[in-house]
Amino acid sequence: MSIETKFLRLLRSRRVHTRIKKKNKRNRVLYFCSFITLVISLGCPICILLSILINSYSALTITKILLPIEVNSDFFLAGSPSDLRYKSIELLNDSLRRVFKGTDFKNSDEILSRSSYKELENFFCRKVEYGGKYEIWFTASSIINSINKNKYFNDHHAKLLNWLKEKKRVKKFFNKSLFLKSDSREPENAGILGAFVGSLMTIMVCLALALPIGIMSGVYLHEFMSRNSVMTNIVEVSINNLAAVPSIIFGVVGLTLYLGIFELPRSSPIVSGMTLSFMMLPNIIIATKNAFANVPITIKDAAFALGAPHIKVILDHSLPIALPRIIHGTMLAVARVLGESSPLLMVGTVAFIADTPVSFFDPATVLPVQIYIWSSSPEIAFIELAAIAIIALLIMLFALNLVANFVRRKFEFFNF
């Protein structure tokens, strides 16, 4: 072998080695970029979730103050609710003056919650029939509550709180109001019950309207309309476009149709559910059509060969096989509309609702709108409540996705 041939082989091997080295370098760069992208995509939701959990943890506790209450028999002789309220406030003020004796306490200092007089009235209505001396726990004001949780600082109120701690008259309790009450002007008395019930009632109305219409429309679109016709293509394109319409447009439709023309009560679950049903309808139609398209053609042919009419084939053979996929698509559609707020802002759900709805025509709000209201408040305590509402909404969405996946895997007979 000549020297020239050996040199060419050596040169060729070096070139191959260089190309392999460059290729490996590109692979390492691609691997590194993919890993960094994966870390960022996982890290951002984890950081957001951790910040929500940190904010929500302090909302689970509430600060209460132990006050000595001395009641005489005249308290039970109040003739009207206004007189009872006046006497309750006087008792609380007298008790605060006795507790803070020797400090720079002023009557204008906000120590107790504004609804503390109701706690006193409820205590005497449930447990007391005669006068005497009692030691009662009362909910502290939002200022005292925030200072006790190290979320806010005020020198004057901090001194009063330290005085109460020295007297062992301050203690943290589990915040039961968070799950048993509705919205309130005072964060220490606000809860998510009203928004939670409103969300459930809204979803019930939404399902009652969108589910039967969506399933029947999907069945008709797949089973009875001619394939590849102009009308079928127009309908399918229109349904796909309707599923991609911005949600605020559905709110404008609900505002014009239900509130303007039919004059239904504003901010009610019936209006909210009917508005959101427009959003859910195309998703259910598409899910039903795809579910029936996945039914094996041999089953339908066998049923037709045995003389079964078309309606019996649909109800007895195609629908049981397609039902798990329909339920899966419906649950995903519910999870989507459950987190919507912009359409409901148009129909008045953003209003302040202090009572839990008991009917579909009562004023109500939903969890996404309640989160928006609380998060826009300047008070720190409302931000903590918004974090609790976010966690409740995430749990509901997670539960719906679990149910959807369970139904699909458990009851799906054919998997393609």
Side-chain angles (χ1 to χ4, degrees):
M1 184 180 296
S2 63
I3 297 177
E4 183 179 358
T5 304
K6 292 182 179 180
F7 178 76
L8 290 175
R9 285 187 177 181
L10 178 62
L11 184 63
R12 191 181 302 113
S13 64
R14 288 182 176 180
R15 288 178 179 175
V16 171
H17 179 70
T18 303
R19 287 198 300 268
I20 293 175
K21 187 176 180 180
K22 291 182 178 180
K23 180 181 177 181
N24 293 335
K25 185 177 180 181
R26 288 195 297 267
N27 290 338
R28 286 194 297 269
V29 171
L30 179 61
Y31 173 80
F32 179 76
C33 293
S34 302
F35 178 75
I36 294 298
T37 305
L38 180 63
V39 170
I40 294 175
S41 61
L42 293 178
C44 291
I46 291 175
C47 292
I48 294 173
L49 185 59
L50 287 177
S51 65
I52 293 173
L53 291 175
I54 292 172
N55 287 328
S56 62
Y57 174 74
S58 57
L60 294 175
T61 57
I62 191 73
T63 302
K64 290 193 175 185
I65 300 173
L66 182 64
L67 294 181
I69 302 295
E70 185 175 352
V71 185
N72 52 33
S73 57
D74 294 338
F75 180 82
F76 301 96
L77 300 178
S80 63
S82 59
D83 294 338
L84 183 61
R85 175 182 179 181
Y86 177 77
K87 291 183 178 181
S88 300
I89 294 175
E90 284 296 322
L91 285 175
L92 292 174
N93 290 333
D94 292 340
S95 178
L96 287 173
R97 282 190 289 267
R98 289 196 303 270
V99 169
F100 289 108
K101 187 177 180 179
T103 65
D104 56 349
F105 170 75
K106 296 176 290 187
N107 291 333
S108 59
D109 291 337
E110 192 173 348
I111 303 298
L112 298 179
S113 173
R114 297 176 186 174
S115 60
S116 296
Y117 70 93
K118 294 182 181 180
E119 298 180 11
L120 181 60
E121 294 173 2
N122 294 332
F123 176 81
F124 286 117
C125 290
R126 294 195 311 266
K127 300 181 180 180
V128 179
E129 296 181 358
Y130 306 100
K133 296 181 179 180
Y134 304 93
E135 295 281 335
I136 307 174
W137 289 98
F138 293 97
T139 303
S141 65
S142 58
I143 297 177
I144 297 296
N145 194 30
S146 299
I147 294 175
N148 196 30
K149 296 177 181 178
N150 298 322
K151 298 286 185 178
Y152 176 76
F153 181 77
N154 181 282
D155 186 58
H156 176 64
H157 286 85
K159 290 180 180 178
L160 296 178
L161 179 60
N162 292 331
W163 177 270
L164 291 173
K165 289 181 178 179
E166 292 176 0
K167 300 292 184 179
K168 296 182 179 180
R169 291 188 173 275
V170 174
K171 188 177 180 181
K172 288 183 179 180
F173 290 84
F174 179 72
N175 190 6
K176 296 186 294 184
S177 300
L178 187 61
F179 305 99
L180 300 178
K181 293 184 179 180
S182 300
D183 197 8
S184 175
R185 299 294 184 188
E186 297 84 27
E188 62 271 11
N189 294 316
I192 63 173
L193 179 62
F196 181 77
V197 174
S199 296
L200 291 181
M201 297 176 73
T202 300
I203 292 301
M204 290 171 62
V205 174
C206 194
L207 284 175
L209 291 175
L211 192 59
I213 297 176
I215 291 177
M216 289 188 290
S217 300
V219 170
Y220 182 81
L221 186 62
H222 182 266
E223 295 290 337
F224 296 102
M225 292 191 71
S226 58
R227 306 287 176 84
N228 299 323
S229 65
V230 177
M231 182 58 66
T232 303
N233 293 332
I234 292 175
V235 171
E236 290 182 351
V237 170
S238 300
I239 293 173
N240 292 328
N241 290 335
L242 187 63
V245 169
S247 58
I248 192 67
I249 304 299
F250 297 104
V252 175
V253 174
L255 176 64
T256 305
L257 184 62
Y258 300 132
L259 300 183
I261 298 177
F262 295 107
E263 297 183 353
L264 293 174
R266 179 181 289 268
S267 186
S268 60
I270 187 72
V271 173
S272 302
M274 294 170 71
T275 302
L276 292 179
S277 63
F278 286 126
M279 294 183 58
M280 186 183 291
L281 192 59
N283 295 320
I284 296 179
I285 294 175
I286 294 172
T288 303
K289 180 179 178 297
N290 293 334
F292 273 84
N294 283 308
V295 175
I297 191 65
T298 53
I299 294 179
K300 298 174 64 177
D301 291 341
F304 282 125
L306 294 175
H310 198 176
I311 188 66
K312 296 292 288 183
V313 173
I314 294 174
L315 295 178
D316 295 342
H317 301 280
S318 298
L319 184 60
I321 298 174
L323 191 58
R325 291 178 179 269
I326 296 175
I327 296 176
H328 180 263
T330 302
M331 291 295 103
L332 295 181
V334 170
R336 181 199 172 190
V337 301
L338 187 61
E340 287 290 340
S341 60
S342 54
L344 303 181
L345 298 179
M346 300 296 296
V347 296
T349 317
V350 72
F352 173 74
I353 309 297
D355 298 323
T356 303
V358 295
S359 71
F360 293 100
F361 295 92
D362 290 341
T365 187
V366 294
L367 282 174
V369 177
Q370 191 68 73
I371 293 169
Y372 166 75
I373 295 173
W374 283 342
S375 60
S376 60
S377 175
E379 293 192 41
I380 300 176
F382 280 117
I383 305 297
E384 298 173 355
L385 294 176
I388 288 289
I390 290 173
I391 292 177
L393 184 61
L394 290 176
I395 290 174
M396 293 178 66
L397 296 176
F398 183 70
L400 286 173
N401 281 278
L402 281 181
V403 170
N405 290 320
F406 173 78
V407 170
R408 182 173 180 178
R409 294 180 180 180
K410 182 71 175 179
F411 301 102
E412 192 171 28
F413 301 106
F414 297 91
N415 192 8
F416 296 93

